[in-house]
Amino acid sequence: MSEDSLPENRMPVIRVPAMHADQNSGGSIFGGWIMSYVDIAGSIPALERVRGPVVTRAVDSFEFKKPVFVDDLVSCYAEIASEGRTSVKVKVEVFAERMDKGKTTCIKVTEAMLTYVAIDENRKPKLLPDV
Ligand SMILES: CC(C)(COP(=O)(O)OP(=O)(O)OC[C@H]1O[C@@H](n2cnc3c(N)ncnc32)[C@H](O)[C@@H]1OP(=O)(O)O)[C@@H](O)C(=O)NCCC(=O)NCCS
C-alpha cells in the first residue's frame, strides 16, 4: 500500500486536526497524543467485533515513522489483523495530510499493532462471539 496517499476504499475511524496545545518542546506533536488516538482507533473495530466491552491488553508494536505537526489533519485507519479465542489484534495506520500554499501532501506517520481482549461483567476474558 502507498504511504504517501490515504488508503483507497477504506474509511478512517478517526480524523482530527493536530493543534498547538498538542505540541512537544521539539515543535512536533507529542507522541502520547498520537498514542491515545491510536488506542481509541484500534478499539473501534475490536468493539464492533466483540459487540461488548474490550480492554487494551498489549501494544504489540508501535512505530513513529514520521513526525506530525500543528495543523496536520490526522486520519487513523484500523482493521482486525487476526483473532484469538478472547482477543483480537488490530492494525492501526495513521496518516497526516499537510496543507500548505494550496497543496496537500499526505504521509504515513505511525503504524501500530494492538491486542484487545473481550471482557465479561467480572472483567474476565470472554470468548469472542460468533461472527
Ligand atoms: C485483559 C485482562 C482481563 C486479561 O486477563 P489475562 O489474565 O491476561 O487473560 P489471559 O491470560 O486469559 O489472556 C487473554 C487474552 O489476551 C492475550 N494476551 C495475554 N497476554 C498478552 C500479551 N502480552 N500480548 C498480547 N496478547 C496477550 C492471550 O493470548 C489471550 O488471548 P486469546 O484468548 O485470544 O488467546 C487483564 O490482563 C486486564 O484486566 N488487563 C488490564 C487491561 C487494562 O486496564 N487496559 C488499559 C485500559 S483499556
Side-chain angles (χ1 to χ4, degrees):
M1 193 215 305
S2 164
E3 300 208 344
D4 58 7
S5 60
L6 295 179
E8 283 178 18
N9 305 320
R10 288 175 66 193
M11 289 282 285
V13 292
I14 297 176
R15 298 193 87 196
V16 58
M19 295 192 277
H20 284 280
D22 309 317
Q23 276 185 112
N24 59 32
S25 55
S28 61
I29 296 300
F30 172 52
W33 181 88
I34 298 165
M35 292 175 103
S36 168
Y37 278 109
V38 165
D39 189 19
I40 295 167
S43 74
I44 292 172
L47 279 169
E48 288 174 335
R49 171 64 184 89
V50 169
R51 304 190 292 278
V54 295
V55 288
T56 313
R57 177 63 177 86
V59 178
D60 302 293
S61 65
F62 203 108
E63 211 186 333
F64 293 108
K65 294 161 86 77
K66 295 279 165 58
V68 175
F69 294 106
V70 171
D71 290 337
D72 282 357
L73 179 55
V74 173
S75 297
C76 302
Y77 291 78
E79 64 184 4
I80 292 179
S82 64
E83 296 188 1
R85 292 176 68 247
T86 66
S87 69
V88 292
K89 285 192 187 294
V90 180
K91 181 178 181 182
V92 180
E93 294 164 285
V94 184
F95 290 79
E97 287 172 279
R98 199 158 291 155
M99 290 104 182
D100 189 37
K101 300 187 182 89
K103 283 180 71 176
T104 302
T105 50
C106 179
I107 338 153
K108 187 189 254 193
V109 291
T110 295
E111 195 168 297
M113 188 74 79
L114 300 95
T115 302
Y116 298 86
V117 174
I119 54 165
D120 64 17
E121 53 283 3
N122 299 311
R123 306 191 64 80
K124 298 290 180 208
K126 93 176 192 192
L127 293 178
L128 299 179
D130 292 338
V131 179

